[in-house]
Amino acid sequence: MATWVFEPADQRYWVACEYGGTSATAARELPIGVAACTVEYDPAFSEPVMKRWSCQPSKH
């Protein structure tokens, strides 16, 4: 599991996922007010493979 905490910024943050065995990448802009995102990795794979992810809004 990994968590990224975002400092308030004038520019927006983006998240991207690369798909193994392909050249495909999916990216999207995070909503304004996102304070952190957490990803859970699938332990069945030796390379990091995302199982699920979620983002949390700022608390103010």
Side-chain angles (χ1 to χ4, degrees), residues 13-14 16-17 19 26 29 34 46 48 50 52 60:
Y13 289 100
W14 285 72
C17 297
Y19 291 86
E29 189 175 33
V34 168
S46 59
M50 182 184 70
R52 69 179 57 90
H60 38 67

Side-chain angles (χ1 to χ4, degrees), residues 9-56:
D10 292 334
Q11 295 187 356
R12 304 279 295 268
Y13 289 100
W14 285 72
V15 64
C17 297
E18 295 178 343
Y19 291 86
T22 74
S23 60
T25 300
R28 75 176 220 187
E29 189 175 33
L30 295 175
I32 293 173
V34 168
C37 290
T38 300
V39 63
E40 180 182 344
Y41 295 109
D42 190 334
F45 297 89
S46 59
E47 290 188 30
V49 173
M50 182 184 70
K51 192 172 182 180
R52 69 179 57 90
W53 70 282
S54 63
C55 294
Q56 299 78 39

